[in-house]
Amino acid sequence: MNSPTLDSPLLWGDKRFHTWNYEMRSEFNEKVFKVMLDAGFTCPNRDGTIARGGCTFCSARGSGDFAGKRRDDLITQFDEIRDKQHLKWPNAKYIGYFQAYTNTYAPVETLREYYEVILQQPGVIGLSIATRPDCLPDDVIEYLAELNKRTYLWVEMGLQTVHDSTSELINRAHDTQCFVDAVAKLRKHNIRVCAHIIYGLPQETHEMMMETGRAVSKMDVQGIKIHLLHLMRGTPMVRQYEAGLLRFLEQDEYIKLIVDTLEILPPEMIVHRLTGDAPRKLLIGPTWSLKKWEVLNTIDAQLKARNTWQGKYWRNA
């Protein structure tokens, strides 16, 4: 990575932001991809522990629409998804990605059984565990700290927004402070944290979304995933859309948000993704999101056109 001058941007390979792929190749000297898994968990805002119905944007598969089949055991899922990914990347190592629902929402004994079986698979160099900030009791933190000492570990947590009024509207069932506290608990053990945020949530303005981006830029998190809101059939958010609470972002609007956000993120923060996927058969909108590579290429083009890059303004954010 080169150093910036007034006329020379920071570059990560050929990109103007710190990509996950760049980081993996730098860390492991080869391609690394995530193998998406569904371990059969649920969420505390689905089962009635703290709420019911789940987040209003979340699909029936708990954001694991591209994960393995829940009816299959973890090794079967792992083999199937790995082999599918190998069609694109024949030579690679793997991170077991516990993606669907809340993957620390179980007794430690259960978590240990699930995580360890994936760590034992040939070629696995680490784990990425998606969870909620309110599902990290002390015994789970202790086990994660143990894992962090012997494998490459990420904990991915949904923040989505720093606006508690929006969190209530989408039935997140936790507030921003809960997320901040969870980050502190994980970072006490040097566990890498990836924050998930969503742009396009109901009733949020451009400035509100940027406030979320700015807040994350100042947190002690090592990675970020920025998702475009997808409205999917069968989700509670359909009712909010029908009630006029939701407006789809336009493509150019989203790309401006992404470029504006990248400028204020610290250069060392790893960008795990800049847009999300939704199954074509479930997607109501925005339909332009189906052209994923067009979106990503346009982000690259806008960064270049604006002569900007990740971290250009982060000290002043």
Side-chain angles (χ1 to χ4, degrees), residues 256-274:
K256 183 179 188 307
L257 275 163
I258 292 295
V259 174
D260 289 349
T261 301
L262 288 173
E263 288 180 328
I264 62 172
L265 296 181
E268 64 272 17
M269 188 177 289
I270 302 160
V271 179
H272 290 232
R273 74 163 36 193
L274 288 179

Side-chain angles (χ1 to χ4, degrees), residues 143-251:
Y143 175 47
L144 292 174
E146 174 199 325
L147 279 175
N148 194 50
K149 291 177 180 177
R150 57 187 171 90
T151 194
Y152 184 77
L153 179 68
W154 281 88
V155 172
E156 302 193 24
M157 286 198 302
L159 170 62
Q160 318 312 0
T161 177
V162 294
H163 302 285
D164 289 341
S165 58
T166 307
S167 293
E168 291 178 14
L169 187 60
I170 63 175
N171 197 39
R172 249 334 260 180
H174 70 73
D175 60 13
T176 301
Q177 189 59 48
C178 177
F179 184 90
V180 171
D181 293 343
V183 169
K185 289 169 68 175
L186 291 163
R187 293 301 296 148
K188 182 179 178 181
H189 300 281
N190 295 315
I191 296 168
R192 299 172 190 85
V193 178
C194 178
H196 288 224
I197 64 174
I198 299 176
Y199 284 163
L201 289 169
Q203 299 188 317
E204 289 210 343
T205 63
H206 180 101
E207 181 53 31
M208 290 174 73
M209 291 179 253
M210 288 302 300
E211 284 173 11
T212 294
R214 279 191 289 272
V216 172
S217 77
K218 295 178 172 68
M219 292 181 185
D220 185 16
V221 299
Q222 292 61 56
I224 187 171
K225 277 188 179 178
I226 307 177
H227 299 267
L228 168 68
L229 177 74
H230 294 104
L231 181 63
M232 291 183 280
R233 292 179 176 83
T235 61
M237 191 169 278
V238 172
R239 293 193 297 274
Q240 295 176 320
Y241 177 64
E242 292 170 345
L245 298 176
L246 174 64
R247 176 187 68 83
F248 294 144
L249 294 177
E250 299 293 339
Q251 182 173 330

Side-chain angles (χ1 to χ4, degrees), residues 4-30:
T5 67
L6 282 175
D7 301 313
S8 175
L10 276 174
L11 292 175
W12 291 263
D14 63 346
K15 297 290 186 180
R16 291 176 177 239
F17 60 95
H18 192 159
T19 69
W20 169 258
N21 186 56
Y22 178 91
E23 182 67 20
M24 291 302 95
R25 289 189 182 276
S26 299
E27 182 80 19
F28 299 104
N29 297 311
E30 60 186 314

